mmCIF file of all heavy atoms in Angstrom:
data_model
loop_
_atom_site.group_PDB
_atom_site.id
_atom_site.type_symbol
_atom_site.label_atom_id
_atom_site.label_comp_id
_atom_site.label_asym_id
_atom_site.label_seq_id
_atom_site.Cartn_x
_atom_site.Cartn_y
_atom_site.Cartn_z
ATOM 1 N N ILE A 21 251.255 -18.155 28.661
ATOM 2 C CA ILE A 21 252.509 -18.260 29.551
ATOM 3 C C ILE A 21 252.399 -17.214 30.780
ATOM 4 O O ILE A 21 253.355 -17.227 31.622
ATOM 5 C CB ILE A 21 253.644 -17.832 28.640
ATOM 6 C CG1 ILE A 21 253.608 -16.407 28.143
ATOM 7 C CG2 ILE A 21 253.908 -18.865 27.523
ATOM 8 C CD1 ILE A 21 254.992 -15.877 27.769
ATOM 9 N N GLU A 22 251.332 -16.518 30.915
ATOM 10 C CA GLU A 22 251.145 -15.564 31.844
ATOM 11 C C GLU A 22 251.560 -15.959 33.307
ATOM 12 O O GLU A 22 252.162 -15.345 34.099
ATOM 13 C CB GLU A 22 249.762 -14.944 31.853
ATOM 14 C CG GLU A 22 249.529 -13.878 32.918
ATOM 15 C CD GLU A 22 248.115 -13.163 32.696
ATOM 16 O OE1 GLU A 22 247.427 -13.432 31.748
ATOM 17 O OE2 GLU A 22 247.964 -12.346 33.548
ATOM 18 N N SER A 23 251.018 -17.306 33.570
ATOM 19 C CA SER A 23 251.340 -17.763 35.001
ATOM 20 C C SER A 23 252.678 -18.154 35.213
ATOM 21 O O SER A 23 253.203 -18.309 36.389
ATOM 22 C CB SER A 23 250.327 -18.943 35.217
ATOM 23 O OG SER A 23 250.509 -19.866 34.185
ATOM 24 N N ASN A 24 253.543 -18.332 34.125
ATOM 25 C CA ASN A 24 254.920 -18.716 34.294
ATOM 26 C C ASN A 24 255.889 -17.507 34.311
ATOM 27 O O ASN A 24 257.201 -17.645 34.445
ATOM 28 C CB ASN A 24 255.447 -19.592 33.122
ATOM 29 C CG ASN A 24 254.513 -20.790 33.051
ATOM 30 O OD1 ASN A 24 253.951 -21.312 34.032
ATOM 31 N ND2 ASN A 24 254.268 -21.216 31.835
ATOM 32 N N ILE A 25 255.437 -16.292 34.059
ATOM 33 C CA ILE A 25 256.221 -15.110 34.080
ATOM 34 C C ILE A 25 255.795 -14.075 35.074
ATOM 35 O O ILE A 25 254.683 -14.207 35.470
ATOM 36 C CB ILE A 25 256.338 -14.405 32.660
ATOM 37 C CG1 ILE A 25 254.862 -13.979 32.246
ATOM 38 C CG2 ILE A 25 256.982 -15.271 31.588
ATOM 39 C CD1 ILE A 25 254.904 -13.171 31.032
ATOM 40 N N ALA A 26 256.800 -13.306 35.566
ATOM 41 C CA ALA A 26 256.397 -12.234 36.396
ATOM 42 C C ALA A 26 255.938 -11.155 35.732
ATOM 43 O O ALA A 26 256.629 -10.520 34.962
ATOM 44 C CB ALA A 26 257.645 -11.837 37.298
ATOM 45 N N VAL A 27 254.684 -10.820 35.886
ATOM 46 C CA VAL A 27 254.021 -9.562 35.153
ATOM 47 C C VAL A 27 254.379 -8.274 36.008
ATOM 48 O O VAL A 27 254.001 -8.194 37.169
ATOM 49 C CB VAL A 27 252.539 -9.747 34.986
ATOM 50 C CG1 VAL A 27 252.007 -8.554 34.214
ATOM 51 C CG2 VAL A 27 252.241 -10.993 34.118
ATOM 52 N N GLU A 28 255.078 -7.522 35.434
ATOM 53 C CA GLU A 28 255.660 -6.359 36.168
ATOM 54 C C GLU A 28 255.284 -4.951 35.640
ATOM 55 O O GLU A 28 254.753 -4.954 34.546
ATOM 56 C CB GLU A 28 257.186 -6.356 36.031
ATOM 57 C CG GLU A 28 257.907 -7.579 36.820
ATOM 58 C CD GLU A 28 259.407 -7.657 36.529
ATOM 59 O OE1 GLU A 28 260.013 -6.514 36.593
ATOM 60 O OE2 GLU A 28 259.930 -8.674 36.248
ATOM 61 N N GLU A 29 255.488 -3.893 36.347
ATOM 62 C CA GLU A 29 255.092 -2.564 36.041
ATOM 63 C C GLU A 29 256.158 -2.020 35.035
ATOM 64 O O GLU A 29 255.802 -1.293 34.162
ATOM 65 C CB GLU A 29 254.977 -1.642 37.228
ATOM 66 C CG GLU A 29 253.564 -1.643 37.920
ATOM 67 C CD GLU A 29 253.245 -0.524 38.766
ATOM 68 O OE1 GLU A 29 254.075 0.388 38.962
ATOM 69 O OE2 GLU A 29 252.298 -0.564 39.508
ATOM 70 N N GLN A 30 257.324 -2.345 35.310
ATOM 71 C CA GLN A 30 258.428 -1.526 34.640
ATOM 72 C C GLN A 30 258.937 -2.344 33.416
ATOM 73 O O GLN A 30 259.885 -1.906 32.790
ATOM 74 C CB GLN A 30 259.665 -1.193 35.456
ATOM 75 C CG GLN A 30 259.228 -0.077 36.463
ATOM 76 C CD GLN A 30 258.723 1.223 35.713
ATOM 77 O OE1 GLN A 30 259.063 1.496 34.617
ATOM 78 N NE2 GLN A 30 257.810 1.922 36.377
ATOM 79 N N LYS A 31 258.557 -3.600 33.255
ATOM 80 C CA LYS A 31 259.034 -4.553 32.170
ATOM 81 C C LYS A 31 257.811 -5.248 31.519
ATOM 82 O O LYS A 31 256.952 -5.800 32.053
ATOM 83 C CB LYS A 31 260.068 -5.556 32.778
ATOM 84 C CG LYS A 31 260.710 -6.239 31.759
ATOM 85 C CD LYS A 31 261.675 -7.326 32.299
ATOM 86 C CE LYS A 31 261.528 -8.495 31.645
ATOM 87 N NZ LYS A 31 262.116 -9.624 32.355
ATOM 88 N N ALA A 32 257.833 -5.170 30.111
ATOM 89 C CA ALA A 32 256.941 -5.835 29.388
ATOM 90 C C ALA A 32 257.593 -6.854 28.638
ATOM 91 O O ALA A 32 258.734 -6.751 28.098
ATOM 92 C CB ALA A 32 256.320 -4.924 28.426
ATOM 93 N N TYR A 33 256.804 -8.037 28.568
ATOM 94 C CA TYR A 33 257.306 -9.219 27.843
ATOM 95 C C TYR A 33 256.502 -9.111 26.478
ATOM 96 O O TYR A 33 255.263 -9.074 26.323
ATOM 97 C CB TYR A 33 256.990 -10.462 28.534
ATOM 98 C CG TYR A 33 257.505 -11.703 27.962
ATOM 99 C CD1 TYR A 33 258.854 -12.106 28.354
ATOM 100 C CD2 TYR A 33 256.966 -12.506 27.095
ATOM 101 C CE1 TYR A 33 259.507 -13.233 27.879
ATOM 102 C CE2 TYR A 33 257.406 -13.558 26.526
ATOM 103 C CZ TYR A 33 258.808 -13.888 26.971
ATOM 104 O OH TYR A 33 259.360 -15.114 26.398
ATOM 105 N N VAL A 34 257.317 -9.034 25.382
ATOM 106 C CA VAL A 34 256.838 -8.795 24.016
ATOM 107 C C VAL A 34 256.994 -10.154 23.169
ATOM 108 O O VAL A 34 258.021 -10.670 23.132
ATOM 109 C CB VAL A 34 257.482 -7.680 23.276
ATOM 110 C CG1 VAL A 34 256.829 -7.356 21.958
ATOM 111 C CG2 VAL A 34 257.678 -6.502 24.187
ATOM 112 N N VAL A 35 255.924 -10.547 22.401
ATOM 113 C CA VAL A 35 256.146 -11.629 21.456
ATOM 114 C C VAL A 35 255.570 -11.143 20.040
ATOM 115 O O VAL A 35 254.565 -10.481 20.025
ATOM 116 C CB VAL A 35 255.487 -12.895 22.001
ATOM 117 C CG1 VAL A 35 253.956 -12.694 22.052
ATOM 118 C CG2 VAL A 35 255.796 -14.071 21.027
ATOM 119 N N TYR A 36 256.511 -11.443 19.114
ATOM 120 C CA TYR A 36 255.878 -11.156 17.647
ATOM 121 C C TYR A 36 256.165 -12.415 16.807
ATOM 122 O O TYR A 36 257.059 -13.266 17.066
ATOM 123 C CB TYR A 36 256.440 -9.902 17.070
ATOM 124 C CG TYR A 36 257.918 -9.850 16.633
ATOM 125 C CD1 TYR A 36 258.120 -9.737 15.277
ATOM 126 C CD2 TYR A 36 258.859 -9.972 17.603
ATOM 127 C CE1 TYR A 36 259.481 -9.774 14.900
ATOM 128 C CE2 TYR A 36 260.196 -9.931 17.183
ATOM 129 C CZ TYR A 36 260.590 -9.877 15.753
ATOM 130 O OH TYR A 36 261.900 -9.858 15.372
ATOM 131 N N THR A 37 255.394 -12.533 15.805
ATOM 132 C CA THR A 37 255.341 -13.748 14.978
ATOM 133 C C THR A 37 255.121 -13.484 13.565
ATOM 134 O O THR A 37 254.641 -12.334 13.207
ATOM 135 C CB THR A 37 254.235 -14.763 15.506
ATOM 136 O OG1 THR A 37 254.500 -15.977 14.853
ATOM 137 C CG2 THR A 37 252.764 -14.300 15.084
ATOM 138 N N ASP A 38 255.554 -14.363 12.615
ATOM 139 C CA ASP A 38 255.434 -14.134 11.159
ATOM 140 C C ASP A 38 253.974 -14.570 10.722
ATOM 141 O O ASP A 38 253.523 -13.966 9.734
ATOM 142 C CB ASP A 38 256.440 -15.026 10.411
ATOM 143 C CG ASP A 38 257.762 -14.707 10.757
ATOM 144 O OD1 ASP A 38 258.046 -13.558 11.214
ATOM 145 O OD2 ASP A 38 258.734 -15.503 10.533
ATOM 146 N N TYR A 39 253.382 -15.418 11.525
ATOM 147 C CA TYR A 39 252.029 -15.961 11.053
ATOM 148 C C TYR A 39 251.219 -16.436 12.169
ATOM 149 O O TYR A 39 251.791 -17.079 13.049
ATOM 150 C CB TYR A 39 252.371 -17.161 10.070
ATOM 151 C CG TYR A 39 251.082 -17.599 9.324
ATOM 152 C CD1 TYR A 39 250.434 -16.716 8.570
ATOM 153 C CD2 TYR A 39 250.508 -18.904 9.624
ATOM 154 C CE1 TYR A 39 249.156 -17.160 7.849
ATOM 155 C CE2 TYR A 39 249.348 -19.201 8.972
ATOM 156 C CZ TYR A 39 248.706 -18.481 8.215
ATOM 157 O OH TYR A 39 247.489 -18.801 7.538
ATOM 158 N N GLN A 40 249.939 -16.130 12.174
ATOM 159 C CA GLN A 40 248.984 -16.583 13.156
ATOM 160 C C GLN A 40 247.929 -17.398 12.461
ATOM 161 O O GLN A 40 247.344 -17.106 11.508
ATOM 162 C CB GLN A 40 248.247 -15.324 13.749
ATOM 163 C CG GLN A 40 249.157 -14.478 14.586
ATOM 164 C CD GLN A 40 248.373 -13.345 15.313
ATOM 165 O OE1 GLN A 40 248.604 -13.136 16.452
ATOM 166 N NE2 GLN A 40 247.423 -12.656 14.618
ATOM 167 N N THR A 41 247.753 -18.686 13.044
ATOM 168 C CA THR A 41 246.758 -19.530 12.488
ATOM 169 C C THR A 41 245.324 -19.294 12.990
ATOM 170 O O THR A 41 244.471 -19.656 12.448
ATOM 171 C CB THR A 41 247.103 -21.015 12.955
ATOM 172 O OG1 THR A 41 247.207 -21.039 14.396
ATOM 173 C CG2 THR A 41 248.405 -21.516 12.330
ATOM 174 N N ASN A 42 245.297 -18.457 14.078
ATOM 175 C CA ASN A 42 243.958 -18.171 14.548
ATOM 176 C C ASN A 42 244.054 -16.727 15.196
ATOM 177 O O ASN A 42 243.633 -16.473 16.283
ATOM 178 C CB ASN A 42 243.610 -19.134 15.709
ATOM 179 C CG ASN A 42 242.123 -19.081 16.037
ATOM 180 O OD1 ASN A 42 241.308 -18.487 15.404
ATOM 181 N ND2 ASN A 42 241.876 -19.705 17.290
ATOM 182 N N GLY A 43 244.487 -15.773 14.301
ATOM 183 C CA GLY A 43 244.604 -14.304 14.714
ATOM 184 C C GLY A 43 243.144 -13.722 15.076
ATOM 185 O O GLY A 43 242.299 -14.125 14.457
ATOM 186 N N ARG A 44 243.169 -13.042 16.242
ATOM 187 C CA ARG A 44 241.956 -12.615 16.767
ATOM 188 C C ARG A 44 241.696 -11.176 16.621
ATOM 189 O O ARG A 44 242.700 -10.371 16.881
ATOM 190 C CB ARG A 44 241.754 -13.027 18.301
ATOM 191 C CG ARG A 44 241.657 -14.511 18.480
ATOM 192 C CD ARG A 44 241.445 -14.828 19.845
ATOM 193 N NE ARG A 44 240.483 -13.973 20.498
ATOM 194 C CZ ARG A 44 240.748 -13.315 21.549
ATOM 195 N NH1 ARG A 44 241.778 -13.439 22.226
ATOM 196 N NH2 ARG A 44 239.862 -12.464 22.064
ATOM 197 N N GLY A 45 240.565 -10.762 16.207
ATOM 198 C CA GLY A 45 240.215 -9.334 16.096
ATOM 199 C C GLY A 45 239.203 -9.027 17.305
ATOM 200 O O GLY A 45 238.966 -9.869 18.207
ATOM 201 N N ALA A 46 238.627 -7.844 17.312
ATOM 202 C CA ALA A 46 237.681 -7.509 18.329
ATOM 203 C C ALA A 46 236.424 -8.336 18.331
ATOM 204 O O ALA A 46 235.941 -8.767 17.256
ATOM 205 C CB ALA A 46 237.187 -5.984 18.126
#
Side-chain angles (χ1 to χ4, degrees):
I21 66 157
E22 182 170 353
S23 54
N24 305 326
I25 56 172
V27 179
E28 294 173 43
E29 273 193 7
Q30 289 308 326
K31 193 180 133 196
Y33 191 86
V34 188
V35 64
Y36 74 110
T37 191
D38 300 339
Y39 188 67
Q40 295 185 135
T41 54
N42 195 17
R44 293 184 42 232

